[in-house]
Amino acid sequence: MVESSEQASVETRVLSVVKEVLAALGKPDALIELVPDRPGHDRRYAVSFERARVELGWQPSVAFEEGLARTVSWYADNRAWCRTVTAAARGAATG
């Protein structure tokens, strides 16, 4: 896991992200239901922003964990907007 926004990459396990999302929502880990792996099942994610740093001079301003918590909080605070957008997307997909 990233501890600092100074690092050039993030690597984390899917289960760790799920637990962080639940914590940000104030929900218990007991809500997690582990299922058998399927072919191609991702157990971890690894992301590097080195190219963005080199080519654009960009780097994250917050650590992964803080950014995830902020994102979850934003979506929780803007549920009406989320419902509107997802309903519109469903309508567009059905034609």
Side-chain angles (χ1 to χ4, degrees):
M1 281 290 214
V2 162
E3 297 298 328
S4 163
S5 60
E6 299 295 318
Q7 292 180 323
S9 64
V10 173
E11 182 175 332
T12 187
R13 299 189 68 72
V14 173
L15 186 56
S16 296
V17 174
V18 171
K19 287 180 177 185
E20 288 183 41
V21 169
L22 287 172
L25 292 170
K27 303 289 183 179
D29 287 355
L31 291 175
I32 297 170
E33 181 180 341
L34 299 176
V35 298
D37 284 347
R38 64 184 192 289
H41 192 135
D42 294 329
R43 291 187 180 152
R44 68 177 181 89
Y45 295 116
V47 179
S48 172
F49 53 85
E50 182 64 16
R51 184 173 179 189
R53 187 188 64 76
V54 169
E55 294 183 16
L56 304 172
W58 179 87
Q59 67 180 28
S61 58
V62 298
F64 175 79
E65 293 84 352
E66 181 182 349
L68 181 63
R70 286 184 187 183
T71 300
V72 170
S73 178
W74 188 91
Y75 278 94
D77 292 344
N78 293 280
R79 290 179 187 197
W81 177 87
C82 294
R83 281 191 294 274
T84 301
V85 171
T86 54
R90 285 187 193 113
T94 59

